[in-house]
Amino acid sequence: MKHVAVMTAYKDFPMLEQSLLRLREFGVDVFLHIDRKSTFSASEMNAISQLCVKVRSDYSVPWGGYEHLEAIVKLMQDIVRTGRHYDYVHTISGQDVIVHSLDTRPEYWDGTIYMKSIPREEFPDNVEVRIRRRNLLRRFQKWKKPWQFADFLLGKVQDLSGLGRKGLPSGTPLHKGEVWLSLPYKVCAEIVSQPRYLGILAELKSTYIAEEFFFQTAIMNSPHASRVNTRNLRYTDWHSGRGRPAFLDETDLSPILKSGNIFARKFSTEKSTALLDMLKHAPSREVGGSG
C-alpha cells in the first residue's frame, strides 16, 4: 500500500518538521501548502521542501476560509497530475502526527472512506445560520472588530430581507463534517476532477467554513456514499477542557495508542514535545482498535 498526505500548515516549524520526518519514516509522501502569511525563514522552507514531494504557498488562509479548501483541492489535483500510484490520500494539518506505521492496519485500507459526516437534518441551529448567510467579507480580517461588526450587520440584513440562501443553488443535499479525512485515491481523484463535484466546490465559495461541507456533500451525493465510515481515524480531544481541540501532551499517550487511530491532533512544540518523544518509542503492538 502506498499512502500520500495532503498537509496544510502555517506556523511552529519545529513541530511541522517533526511531523514531516515521521511521515517520511513511515513511507508517506507529502504534498504541502504553507500559508502565505507564514514567517518561516528561507532555511526552514528549504528544510521543509526536502521532506515533501511538492510545496505550495498560493493562499493567505483566514481561519475557516474558503482558501483553505482551495489549497487542499489544488494539492489533490497536483497528486493526480503526477501520475504516481497511491492507494489512499489523507488530509492533515502541520499540527497532526502519524501515530504508527499504516502497514500495521492493512484491514483499514479496503476501499473504505474515513470521514465524519452528518446530514443536514442533524445540523445544529448555528450551522443552519452559516448556510443561510453568505460570507460576503470572507477575504477580510474578521478577527478585527470593525470587520466583525460589518459581518454581523450583513448577516442580519440577509436574515431580515429574506435574501439568505436555503441551500446550494443546485439543490444538492448538504452534509457536514471535518476536513480531516482519509480517501481511497480513486475516490479522491474523482472528487477533485469531475465537473459535477467541482460545481459543488464553486457553490460553496461564499459559505462560512466551507471546508466542513465540500467533501461530505460531494461524497454523500455520489455512488461512494455507502463506503463511508464516519470514524475518521484521527485522535482528537474535544472534551477535556484544555482547548477545542486540546493540544496533546504526555497524558494522552495511552488513549492515543488504545484508540486504534492512525493520526493524532493537535501537537505543538510548547506542549507536545514529551509526547512526541514517547510516541517514537511506543511499539506498534500497543496500538489498539477500539476507535
Side-chain angles (χ1 to χ4, degrees):
M1 286 283 184
K2 183 63 177 173
H3 297 261
V4 59
V6 168
M7 178 186 279
T8 55
Y10 71 101
K11 63 179 182 179
D12 197 348
F13 169 75
M15 191 64 251
L16 173 59
E17 184 178 41
Q18 288 300 306
S19 180
L20 291 170
L21 285 168
R22 280 183 66 84
L23 288 162
R24 170 172 277 195
E25 175 187 351
F26 293 129
V28 180
D29 285 350
V30 179
F31 286 65
L32 172 66
H33 183 272
I34 298 288
D35 194 315
R36 195 181 288 169
K37 299 190 301 294
S38 169
T39 57
F40 292 151
S41 68
S43 62
E44 288 172 338
M45 288 297 293
N46 182 63
I48 288 169
S49 67
Q50 298 303 309
L51 296 170
C52 301
V53 175
K54 183 162 187 172
V55 179
R56 282 184 174 271
S57 188
D58 299 322
Y59 302 101
S60 178
V61 181
W63 185 89
Y66 182 79
E67 292 79 5
H68 188 220
L69 183 55
E70 286 184 302
I72 290 171
V73 170
K74 190 168 284 190
L75 288 171
M76 289 179 170
Q77 291 170 336
D78 287 340
I79 292 170
V80 174
R81 280 191 288 267
T82 67
R84 296 189 180 194
H85 169 75
Y86 292 107
D87 295 287
Y88 263 78
V89 180
H90 310 272
T91 58
I92 60 175
S93 83
Q95 294 177 304
D96 298 359
V97 166
I98 186 169
V99 176
H100 63 286
S101 171
L102 291 92
D103 294 339
T104 63
R105 287 292 180 181
E107 69 274 17
Y108 284 179
W109 319 123
D110 61 355
T112 298
I113 297 166
Y114 297 97
M115 176 184 76
K116 290 186 180 296
S117 180
I118 60 172
R120 185 168 185 177
E121 55 266 27
E122 296 179 20
F123 288 2
D125 291 343
N126 66 313
V127 175
E128 281 294 333
V129 170
R130 285 202 268 131
I131 293 298
R132 185 173 68 248
R133 295 177 178 176
R134 292 177 175 84
N135 187 4
L136 301 174
L137 301 177
R138 68 183 182 86
R139 294 185 182 276
F140 294 90
Q141 299 173 333
K142 291 187 192 168
W143 61 87
K144 294 185 177 180
K145 288 186 178 180
W147 290 116
Q148 289 179 346
F149 184 65
D151 187 58
F152 171 79
L153 286 180
L154 284 171
K156 287 298 184 182
V157 167
Q158 291 180 67
D159 292 344
L160 294 172
S161 66
L163 295 176
R165 299 176 304 176
K166 295 183 178 180
L168 297 184
S170 64
T172 306
L174 283 160
H175 293 255
K176 176 187 178 296
E178 296 176 12
V179 75
W180 315 119
L181 40 81
S182 295
L183 304 175
Y185 170 81
K186 290 182 179 179
V187 175
C188 176
E190 183 178 313
I191 295 300
V192 300
S193 300
Q194 292 193 4
R196 58 175 168 160
Y197 302 121
L198 294 177
I200 293 172
L201 180 67
E203 288 182 297
L204 288 166
K205 195 163 191 175
S206 63
T207 302
Y208 287 90
I209 319 183
E211 68 183 44
E212 293 184 344
F213 301 97
F214 172 59
F215 291 102
Q216 285 75 12
T217 298
I219 291 170
M220 297 308 294
N221 288 282
S222 79
H224 308 296
S226 62
R227 299 162 63 184
V228 171
N229 182 333
T230 55
R231 172 192 177 193
N232 73 348
L233 301 182
R234 275 81 176 155
Y235 174 87
T236 312
D237 177 6
W238 291 98
H239 305 295
S240 68
R242 296 177 295 163
R244 291 189 57 78
F247 280 104
L248 305 177
D249 60 30
E250 57 269 28
T251 65
D252 295 292
L253 178 65
S254 181
I256 289 171
L257 296 179
K258 290 179 180 178
S259 73
N261 289 310
I262 301 301
F263 301 97
R265 66 184 311 265
K266 299 166 63 174
F267 284 69
S268 73
T269 302
E270 180 183 357
K271 297 183 178 180
S272 311
T273 299
L275 173 59
L276 186 61
D277 188 61
M278 294 165 76
L279 284 169
K280 290 177 183 177
H281 299 96
S284 295
R285 66 175 179 273
E286 290 186 13
V287 178
S290 58

